Amino acid sequence: MQYFYIEPNVAGGLGEHTVLDPSVHPPIVTQLHYEVEGWFGDVIVTTFPCFLVTEETQHALQKMGFSGATFAAAEVTISEDCQEDQPGLQLPLFVWLKVHGKAGHDDFGIAADYRLVISKRVLDLLESLGIPFAVVEPYDDP
C-alpha cells in the first residue's frame, strides 16, 4: 500500500481550556480545546500536536474501517478575530483524531519528524470529502 505525508490546514490553535504536559516532546494533550482562527472547508485540521476531523469524516472512516487512530471529544470555539474575518461562519462538528499508529504500516501514523502519515485509501477518502488546503507528498518508509 502507498503512504503519504499530509500536512493539514492549521485552522487555529490550542485554546485556553487545553490541558497538556509540556515537559515532554511532543507535549501530551489530555484535554483538547481548539480555537478556530479561520476555516475554509478542510475536513481535517491541525495544530501541533493534535488533529481534528469533521464528524462526517469520522463516520466515513468508521464505515471504511481503519487503523492507527481513535476519536475523542474536543471543545471547538471560534476566535473573535475569526468572527470578524468570517462573519456567520458555520463550523461543522469536529472531533479529535488521536493518532497512535505506526507510519507506513497503519492507516494513520506519526513519522519520526512528527508529521502525519496516512494510507492511500485514507487519502482518497479525505480528498473526496475536501482537503483543499492540505499539503500532501509521498512517504518513503525509512
Side-chain angles (χ1 to χ4, degrees), residues 1-21:
M1 184 179 298
Q2 287 181 287
Y3 291 89
F4 298 85
Y5 287 112
I6 181 169
E7 296 177 27
N9 183 250
V10 179
L14 297 177
E16 62 184 24
H17 301 141
T18 296
V19 177
L20 60 80
D21 176 358

Side-chain angles (χ1 to χ4, degrees), residues 24-36:
V24 293
H25 187 75
I28 297 171
V29 178
T30 53
Q31 181 177 317
L32 177 58
H33 171 203
Y34 191 79
E35 187 167 46
V36 175

